[in-house]
Amino acid sequence: MRTYETENYKFNQHKQCEFFPCHKGMEAEKFNCLFCYCPLYMLGNQCSGNFKVTNGIKDCSGCIKPHDEGSYDFIMSKMTMVIQKGSSFIKNIDKL
């Protein structure tokens, strides 16, 4: 296992983005853009984020979970579930 002297890889900010910050409710200086598109969307109601369902569509516009402090560790803690869900999708393709 690799060890790193810093944890700078866990935070990225793109202040020139025309949508920055794309979610309200956080200090701009702490806003993490690393997961611009949340990799947990596919987990549905198991993502642990603050979403709502509007007309049958998951709406994450009120969720800051992938952008707040600790977001990297939180996202990575759920990646096993994402991988399992993706793997089950691949297995089901073989049955088509």
Side-chain angles (χ1 to χ4, degrees):
M1 186 168 134
R2 276 184 143 165
T3 58
Y4 297 96
E5 291 182 31
T6 69
E7 294 192 354
N8 293 328
Y9 62 93
K10 294 182 177 184
F11 183 85
N12 182 47
Q13 198 170 72
H14 182 35
K15 289 184 178 179
Q16 276 97 24
C17 176
E18 55 272 23
F19 303 106
F20 181 84
C22 59
H23 297 268
K24 307 299 180 225
M26 287 186 59
E27 293 177 44
E29 293 303 314
K30 293 182 178 181
F31 195 92
N32 191 352
C33 301
L34 184 62
F35 297 109
C36 179
Y37 290 94
C38 183
L40 305 183
Y41 182 86
M42 69 183 296
L43 295 180
N45 62 0
Q46 295 178 316
C47 71
S48 301
N50 181 25
F51 67 91
K52 61 184 175 184
V53 177
T54 306
N55 297 323
I57 297 172
K58 185 178 177 183
D59 175 4
C60 304
S61 59
C63 183
I64 59 171
K65 206 79 158 152
H67 306 293
D68 64 7
E69 291 181 278
S71 60
Y72 179 87
D73 293 328
F74 171 75
I75 296 286
M76 296 311 290
S77 76
K78 298 275 192 174
M79 287 310 291
T80 299
M81 292 173 66
V82 171
I83 291 166
Q84 288 171 341
K85 194 164 192 110
S87 296
S88 66
F89 172 75
I90 297 299
K91 290 174 188 171
N92 289 332
I93 285 178
D94 295 337
K95 296 177 184 177
L96 297 177

